[in-house]
Amino acid sequence: MKIALDAMGGDFGPRNLVGGAVLALREYRRIGKLFLVGDSKQIEAELKKQRCNDSRVEIVHASQVVDMSDRAVEAVRRKKDSSVSRAVDLVKHGQADAIVSAGHTGAAVAASKIKLRTLPGIDRPGIAAVLPTETNVFVLIDAGANIDARPEHLFQYATMGSVYSSHVLGYKNPTVGLISLGEEDVKGNEMTKEVFKMLKKSSLNFVGNIEGRHLFEDPVEVVVCDGFVGNVILKTCESISVAIFEWLKHELSRTPMRKLGAFLARESFRTIKDKTNYEEYGGSPLLGVNGICIIAHGLRVAVESVEHQVNPHIIEEVQRYHETAAPLEPAIH
C-alpha cells in the first residue's frame, strides 16, 4: 500500500503533518511506502526532529504551496509544482494508491478531478464526511466539494455514500435520507423534488426526505445534499460540539458540588467528548474520482479506502443502476 501525503498543507505545515505521518507508520505496518510531498529541506528537518529513519518514507520535492487565499482551479493550473498537485500526480501515474491532503480543500478537489478524472457514470465527486450519533455514524455527502449541483449529482452522491457506508462502515443495507425542508415529497425546491423521484425509483434503501432535526433524533446511515448545504451542516456540527463542552466546563466549575459531580462523571464526559470529536474520525474521502483522495487528517481513512476497494464497488453499483433503471439514464448523462 502506497500513500502520498501533501506535507505542506494544513495550518501548521510540515511540523504536524510529518509528526502524524510518523505515528501512522508505526501503527500501520500495511503501509509499504509513504511519499512526503513538499519542500524537501523542511520535511527532512522534521523527520530528524521525530528521529524517523523509516525506509518506507520517500520525500518528493515540490517547490510551491497552495495558499488558503488561492482560487482552487487557478492554483492547480498556475502552481503546477505545488505539493498537492505533485501528490495527486503520484496517484495519477500509479506510484501511489491514495493522496491525503489537509490543506486547501478546493485545490485538492480540483487537482483530483482534473488529473484523475471521475469514475465511469460519475459526473461530480463528493466529499463524504462521517458524523456520529448516539446509535450509529452516518455519511454526509456532499460535504463541500461542489456547491452548484444538479439532481443527477445528488443521486450519484447517494449511490457513492451507500457504497462507502456498506463496504467501509459495515452497514448491510444503509438507509438514505435526502435533506429538505419537510418530510413530504412535495416539500423542498425543484432540485430536491427531482432527486426525490430519482431515489424513490432506485434500488437504494431510500427512506424519504429528512430535516436537520432528524440527523441526530432519527438518524439514517447516508445523508444526501449539495455541497453548500453539506458544508454548512458539517461546520455547524463541528463547532457546536466544541461549544457545548466549553459551556459544560464553565457551568460545572461554578460551585464545589458541581465540581464533585463533574469529577464523578468524568469518564462519561470523556467518552462523549471523544465520540463527538471530528478528529477521531480521520479524514473525509472524496468519492467519485479515479483514485483515492482523502481530505484532512486521514492516513487511517486512506488505508481503509484502499483496503475495501471503494472505487470498484462504486463502479459496480453505478453500472447496476444503469442496467435496471434505463428511463433515468438521460438525466444522469
Side-chain angles (χ1 to χ4, degrees), residues 292-332:
I292 301 297
C293 173
I294 307 299
I295 306 297
H297 37 275
L299 281 171
R300 173 180 61 79
V301 180
V303 170
E304 292 175 346
S305 296
V306 173
E307 281 188 333
H308 290 282
Q309 295 290 294
V310 171
N311 282 348
H313 289 302
I314 289 175
I315 294 172
E316 179 184 349
E317 192 63 33
V318 171
Q319 289 176 338
R320 182 183 296 116
Y321 167 72
H322 284 312
E323 291 170 358
T324 58
L328 290 180
E329 281 194 44
I332 287 186

Side-chain angles (χ1 to χ4, degrees), residues 120-182:
I122 300 298
D123 297 318
R124 296 276 185 90
I127 295 175
V130 176
L131 296 175
T133 74
E134 184 179 2
T135 57
N136 71 344
V137 294
F138 65 86
V139 177
L140 175 70
I141 184 169
D142 174 27
N146 298 290
I147 60 173
D148 296 313
R150 299 196 300 270
E152 57 266 31
H153 300 152
L154 268 68
F155 178 82
Q156 292 163 14
Y157 297 158
T159 301
M160 295 188 293
S162 294
V163 167
Y164 191 82
S165 179
S166 175
H167 292 278
V168 177
L169 301 181
Y171 294 101
K172 291 184 179 180
N173 189 25
T175 52
V176 178
L178 175 65
I179 285 288
S180 189
L181 300 178

Side-chain angles (χ1 to χ4, degrees), residues 198-218:
M198 299 171 76
L199 290 172
K200 194 72 174 178
K201 294 179 181 178
S202 74
S203 60
L204 299 174
N205 189 9
F206 180 54
V207 299
N209 287 338
I210 59 173
E211 297 181 83
R213 62 187 176 86
H214 293 122
L215 295 179
F216 302 99
E217 286 182 8
D218 188 19

Side-chain angles (χ1 to χ4, degrees), residues 53-64:
N53 58 358
D54 197 308
S55 61
R56 293 175 291 167
V57 172
E58 181 175 331
I59 298 173
V60 177
H61 181 69
S63 62
Q64 296 174 303

Side-chain angles (χ1 to χ4, degrees), residues 84-95:
V84 66
S85 285
R86 290 300 181 205
V88 173
D89 282 337
L90 292 171
V91 177
K92 177 181 178 180
H93 298 303
Q95 295 171 269

Side-chain angles (χ1 to χ4, degrees), residues 5 14-31 34 36 46-47 50-54 56-57 279 297-300 303:
L5 173 65
R15 185 185 70 195
N16 285 9
L17 292 165
V18 172
V22 172
L23 291 174
L25 287 168
R26 291 172 184 164
E27 184 169 351
Y28 301 113
R29 304 307 304 179
R30 294 162 287 180
I31 298 177
L34 181 59
L36 298 181
E46 291 301 327
L47 286 171
Q50 296 286 335
R51 297 179 181 178
C52 176
N53 58 358
D54 197 308
R56 293 175 291 167
V57 172
E279 292 182 354
H297 37 275
L299 281 171
R300 173 180 61 79
V303 170

Side-chain angles (χ1 to χ4, degrees), residues 265-283:
R266 66 189 184 281
E267 290 301 323
S268 297
F269 285 131
R270 188 175 294 118
T271 298
I272 295 174
K273 187 174 183 179
D274 289 342
K275 188 173 183 178
T276 57
N277 181 6
Y278 65 90
E279 292 182 354
E280 293 292 321
Y281 295 87

